[in-house]
Amino acid sequence: MKKIVIVLSCAALFLFTFLIQSSTTDAKAPRKATILYFNDAHEISPVVNEYGDRGGVARLKTVIDRVKKDNKHTAVAFGGDLGGGTLFGGVYKGFPIVEAFNKIGIDIANFGQHDFDFGSEVTEELVTASNFQWITSNLTDTEGNAFANLPTYQIINQRGIKIGIIGLTDDMYTTTNDGKVIQQDIIPSAKKAVEQIKNTQKVDVIIALTQESLEKDKQLLDAVPEIDAVFTEEKAEDRSFIIEHGNGYIVASQGNIGSMIRLDITKHAKHIKLTPTVIEVDHTVPEDPELKALADYYQNKLEEDLGQTIAQLDTPLVYGDNHESRYLETNIGNFIADSYRDHFNADIGLMNGGGIRTSILAGEFTSRDAYAILPFGNKVVLANVKGETIQAAFENSVSRVESLGGGFLQVSGIQYSYNPSLPVGARVQSITINNEPIDLEKDYLVAMPNYIAGGGDGYTMFADNETLVDDTNAQTDAEVLIQYASKLGTINASLEERIQVIQ
């Protein structure tokens, strides 16, 4: 009996020792978590243009499923911009994309400025419709609380690897300003969110989802060294970027869901290794059947809604291969500004060149064309504007032509000249309104998008105008353009020397 007890005791001791050694070995084995990242999801279907055939939510689903099969400890992050910016985004305001994301399985999302193109109330509706978590570290309400009472950060735990994520959004001046969303300074907001993460629990990696320029991303990494990687907005339609800066990475996927960034995070003992790679989302990726059916439904609906012919277009409406509407007179700019002025029988019609998004070929002009040209859903408002304010507005208009600033004004009822080689603030050489020199003391009736009337693209000088028709009672820019085209019957827009560039 004693021998049996001794043998059993030895066996138990051996098993216990083996389990301890096995547990210790497992604890020291490398663990890997994966973050998949993409942004710029204005289109639900693939985009086919000079850059190839890429994107679409059905291909996106396939890529995500493949990566999760490779590593089930995978989280998916969306960097922002799913409404506005394109015809599809303009018509449906991002809701079909949220529907698709709910089916795909997105984990966390940050805002792009285009997610506010239709006002903050629509943005809040998008958040409510989402089954995934939105965050913002620097967008607040007027009381200083996080927009829509969202978290300022999120901590994701993948196989014991803890990842802190913050969200930062810049350039809110380029979207609809309804006065309800305040963009707080990027770097102080990032520092505050990172400190909140550190005070909550120890994390292995901190990632910033950003919508800002590459230069600002570099400044962010320099100012907040705790951030290990910045997942930023697209820098090009045809390629992705992986940039090492200091001790961190800045990564950007292609626009229009043309690619995803895969970040593998390997933890071995206390050592953390980050490995970013690019996954193309192109024509070689098969489409998930369920998501393709959803995309096809909305594309067919779009065709039905917008395919009706409303006028005959005799001359192409040319935006310009080099964004000419941002520094020269264009016939498409004249056509839009004319529609605004005609709508209110105003003295002047103004249109910011950055809000014009595509050219249109001669032939049948449809509602679809109007929404493709003007996809942001801005309202056309009417205001009394003093001549000196108009002069200040035109100095702002030509202040960023070198960088193709979107605030460059296309005009109706007005002619102006400018010299881009002169200092900013002194470039405008002449302004005439209805063939008369501008009277700085006179009030003029001005029809313009509520975007610039509300201070977008630096037009803060319009803030104190007397508003005669505000955005609560105004029609959208595309609706105004459709009505004007229907009234004309035949569209024959031309260049008329409304804007002259002096070299």
Side-chain angles (χ1 to χ4, degrees):
M1 177 64 82
K2 289 183 180 181
K3 288 183 179 180
I4 294 175
V5 172
I6 291 171
V7 170
L8 290 175
S9 298
C10 289
L13 179 62
F14 174 81
L15 180 60
F16 179 77
T17 303
F18 173 80
L19 290 174
I20 291 294
Q21 289 176 341
S22 177
S23 175
T24 302
T25 301
D26 289 345
K28 292 181 179 179
R31 288 171 285 160
K32 185 171 75 173
T34 298
I35 301 290
L36 281 175
Y37 171 78
F38 71 104
N39 74 326
D40 194 44
H42 302 290
E43 297 287 344
I44 200 167
S45 295
V47 173
V48 182
N49 57 21
E50 66 268 29
Y51 301 121
D53 178 355
R54 65 203 192 285
V57 295
R59 291 172 179 162
L60 181 72
K61 176 71 160 57
T62 299
V63 168
I64 292 172
D65 287 349
R66 285 175 173 176
V67 175
K68 287 186 174 181
K69 185 176 181 180
D70 176 62
N71 181 17
K72 66 180 181 180
H73 305 287
T74 295
V76 183
F78 172 63
D81 280 348
L82 54 72
T86 66
L87 170 62
F88 189 85
V91 172
Y92 295 119
K93 301 179 174 61
F95 288 96
I97 305 298
V98 167
E99 183 179 349
F101 284 3
N102 288 341
K103 294 178 180 293
I104 289 170
I106 306 301
D107 295 289
I108 192 165
N110 179 47
F111 295 106
Q113 69 270 35
H114 286 308
D115 297 318
F116 294 86
D117 282 347
F118 309 101
S120 61
E121 290 183 2
V122 172
T123 313
E124 291 196 52
E125 290 174 9
L126 288 168
V127 170
T128 300
S130 302
N131 294 339
F132 48 92
Q133 181 64 63
W134 291 85
I135 62 170
T136 180
S137 304
N138 78 305
L139 300 182
T140 70
D141 60 22
T142 55
E143 302 298 320
N145 303 308
F147 170 71
N149 293 314
L150 292 170
T152 56
Y153 68 90
Q154 193 79 358
I155 296 176
I156 294 175
N157 190 331
Q158 294 286 349
R159 202 185 175 194
I161 300 175
K162 296 176 183 177
I163 306 158
I165 301 178
I166 66 175
L168 302 164
T169 307
D170 194 23
D171 292 339
M172 287 293 287
Y173 73 92
T174 66
T175 189
T176 299
N177 180 7
D178 60 10
K180 298 177 182 178
V181 185
I182 309 300
Q183 177 187 315
Q184 305 295 343
D185 291 340
I186 296 286
I187 289 177
S189 298
K191 288 182 176 179
K192 181 179 179 181
V194 166
E195 192 63 29
Q196 289 173 332
I197 290 173
K198 290 166 64 179
N199 290 337
T200 301
Q201 58 181 288
K202 181 177 174 58
V203 296
D204 299 294
V205 174
I206 294 179
I207 293 171
L209 309 179
T210 73
Q211 285 275 327
E212 62 179 6
S213 68
L214 176 59
E215 187 57 38
K216 289 185 177 181
D217 285 327
K218 291 178 178 179
Q219 293 171 5
L220 176 64
L221 281 178
D222 291 339
V224 193
E226 297 95 333
I227 297 174
D228 299 287
V230 174
F231 292 176
T232 193
E233 65 180 329
E234 75 283 357
K235 307 302 179 189
E237 290 291 317
D238 59 342
R239 58 191 184 278
S240 307
F241 293 87
I242 298 176
I243 300 167
E244 291 189 56
H245 182 78
N247 295 321
Y249 287 99
I250 301 171
V251 297
S253 56
Q254 292 179 33
N256 288 315
I257 324 180
S259 69
M260 298 191 81
I261 300 294
R262 173 175 178 165
L263 181 70
D264 289 317
I265 306 168
T266 305
K267 184 176 182 179
H268 191 188
K270 294 184 178 181
H271 178 69
I272 300 292
K273 180 183 177 182
L274 305 183
T275 307
T277 54
V278 175
I279 303 174
E280 299 295 334
V281 186
D282 58 18
H283 66 282
T284 65
V285 178
E287 294 180 290
D288 176 86
E290 181 185 3
L291 270 296
K292 185 180 187 306
L294 180 70
D296 289 347
Y297 165 77
Y298 278 110
Q299 287 300 143
N300 293 335
K301 181 172 172 34
L302 189 68
E303 293 295 333
E304 293 173 5
D305 292 345
L306 300 177
Q308 183 179 1
T309 301
I310 54 176
Q312 186 67 31
L313 180 59
D314 281 357
T315 56
L317 296 172
V318 182
Y319 171 73
D321 293 335
N322 192 36
H323 302 291
E324 277 83 354
S325 290
R326 296 173 181 243
Y327 63 96
L328 294 174
E329 175 188 354
T330 58
N331 75 333
I332 194 170
N334 289 349
F335 174 52
I336 297 167
D338 284 348
S339 75
Y340 294 175
R341 184 164 68 105
D342 178 83
H343 184 66
F344 288 117
N345 194 25
D347 299 310
I348 299 167
L350 301 178
M351 176 61 197
N352 53 304
I356 306 171
R357 305 305 284 190
T358 191
S359 300
I360 301 295
L361 297 175
E364 294 181 346
F365 187 81
T366 66
S367 297
R368 179 188 181 90
D369 294 326
Y371 280 103
I373 295 168
L374 301 170
F376 294 115
N378 287 308
K379 302 292 187 69
V380 183
V381 300
L382 183 68
N384 260 328
V385 184
K386 195 172 289 294
E388 62 180 357
T389 302
I390 293 172
Q391 185 177 52
F394 278 99
E395 287 291 357
N396 181 69
S397 166
V398 300
S399 65
R400 296 182 295 278
V401 290
E402 298 89 346
S403 59
L404 302 180
F408 183 80
L409 292 175
Q410 299 289 323
V411 298
S412 177
I414 195 167
Q415 303 82 37
Y416 73 101
S417 64
Y418 77 98
N419 187 334
S421 64
L422 293 176
V424 170
R427 292 181 170 181
V428 176
Q429 301 299 289
S430 66
I431 302 175
T432 59
I433 299 175
N434 295 324
N435 298 314
E436 296 288 336
I438 188 170
D439 184 341
L440 299 183
E441 298 301 318
K442 181 179 177 179
D443 286 337
Y444 295 92
L445 282 175
V446 179
M448 55 186 160
N450 65 323
Y451 168 69
I452 60 175
D457 271 327
Y459 286 100
T460 56
M461 67 289 298
F462 289 133
D464 296 328
N465 293 324
E466 178 192 6
T467 302
L468 303 177
V469 179
D470 64 15
D471 54 7
T472 60
N473 299 303
Q475 291 183 286
T476 66
D477 45 12
E479 289 171 334
V480 169
L481 196 65
I482 289 168
Q483 291 168 11
Y484 184 61
S486 179
K487 176 181 177 180
L488 292 177
T490 300
I491 304 165
N492 193 348
S494 61
L495 300 179
E496 301 177 350
E497 297 186 347
R498 299 181 187 185
I499 305 171
Q500 294 184 334
V501 183
I502 301 170
Q503 302 290 351

